[in-house]
Amino acid sequence: MRVVIAEDNALLRQGLVLLLTSSGHEVVAVAGSGPEVLPALLQHRPDAAVLDVRMPPDFRDEGLRAALEARKQIPDLPVLVLSQYVEESYAAELLGGGASGVGYLLKDRVGRVDEFLDALERVAAGGTALDPEVVTELLTKRRNSPLDTLTPREREVLKLMAEGHDNLTIANTLVVTERSVSKHIGNVFLKLGLPPSDSGHRRVLAVLAYLNNAQASGA
């Protein structure tokens, strides 16, 4: 996999390079500031980009803005965003519109090597990889929405779906049968006004799009 890394912390940046290269991936470019990100992405058109949200010169949302602009010019460019904290508005903006190949992880997740590499590969394949804490933020801050009608078990299933897990993994995590998981998923889509679907990550993206639209409308 060809990867572009955008991270202003030199130690973390070098750590990412070593981690990815030792795992058999090729780091084709690195960027240490916001203005460097978009040119690197457009020049190399990588299989995936790993980007920090806040980068020099202003340490606001330079990395995210570069990612959004790059995805306009390179449709479906897989982007895995790293952030120090759960920044709900940034997660919502990146995930808005139900685009595929997106991920949002907290930086401490990088230390869990297998989880990080799995997330990157999932994103590169067009799936989603959301940090559990990000998903919790997206779910718990909703008020007066159809999400309130979900049972505790349905919310657990939705949370695991949004993290990118398949039915078998959800079943194993919750210690239930796959048939039970499928039933819960059907109920989730029904209550959210979304057509039932078992088409892999598209079902997750549909749920995320709904959540972000609910947030944008002030739900």
Side-chain angles (χ1 to χ4, degrees):
M1 183 192 312
R2 300 171 64 255
V3 183
V4 166
I5 296 173
E7 167 60 53
D8 65 287
N9 184 296
L11 185 61
L12 179 55
R13 184 170 65 242
Q14 186 60 28
L16 287 169
V17 171
L18 292 174
L19 173 59
L20 292 176
T21 54
S22 65
S23 300
H25 302 301
E26 179 186 2
V27 178
V28 295
V30 295
S33 67
E36 299 174 31
V37 179
L38 184 58
L41 293 174
L42 295 179
Q43 176 183 348
H44 295 281
R45 296 179 176 261
D47 299 314
V50 178
L51 307 174
D52 188 7
V53 170
R54 299 184 176 187
M55 301 185 68
D58 297 323
F59 293 97
R60 297 181 62 185
D61 56 2
E62 290 82 357
L64 177 69
R65 293 297 169 194
L68 294 172
E69 182 58 34
R71 284 175 68 91
K72 291 179 182 178
Q73 300 189 44
I74 310 173
D76 298 324
L77 170 70
V79 173
L80 177 59
V81 167
L82 302 179
S83 178
Q84 190 70 40
Y85 309 102
V86 178
E87 300 175 275
E88 185 182 352
S89 61
Y90 292 152
E93 186 165 4
L94 178 68
L95 296 163
S100 62
V102 293
Y104 190 106
L105 298 182
L106 297 184
K107 286 187 175 181
D108 62 8
R109 198 71 57 183
V110 177
R112 305 174 189 181
V113 175
D114 291 341
E115 289 184 28
F116 172 72
L117 292 175
D118 177 69
L120 180 59
E121 291 172 3
R122 207 183 312 153
V123 168
T128 59
L130 300 188
D131 195 287
E133 291 188 36
V134 175
V135 176
T136 298
E137 284 286 318
L138 290 173
L139 292 180
T140 59
K141 289 196 174 184
R142 300 298 180 271
R143 296 292 183 271
N144 302 318
S145 80
L147 288 171
D148 296 331
T149 68
L150 300 183
T151 67
R153 177 63 84 188
E154 289 164 355
R155 291 176 70 88
E156 286 181 310
V157 170
L158 176 59
K159 180 175 182 291
L160 291 169
M161 286 171 59
E163 289 172 21
H165 299 299
D166 58 23
N167 285 16
L168 178 59
T169 301
I170 294 174
N172 290 337
T173 300
L174 300 179
V175 194
V176 297
T177 64
E178 283 191 75
R179 174 175 290 185
S180 178
V181 170
S182 296
K183 181 178 179 180
H184 289 310
I185 290 173
N187 289 338
V188 167
F189 278 104
L190 181 64
K191 291 180 180 180
L192 297 184
L194 298 167
S197 172
D198 192 24
S199 55
H201 292 291
R202 284 183 293 179
R203 63 183 185 164
V204 180
L205 296 169
V207 172
L208 290 172
Y210 175 87
L211 295 176
N212 289 308
N213 287 335
Q215 180 189 51
S217 64

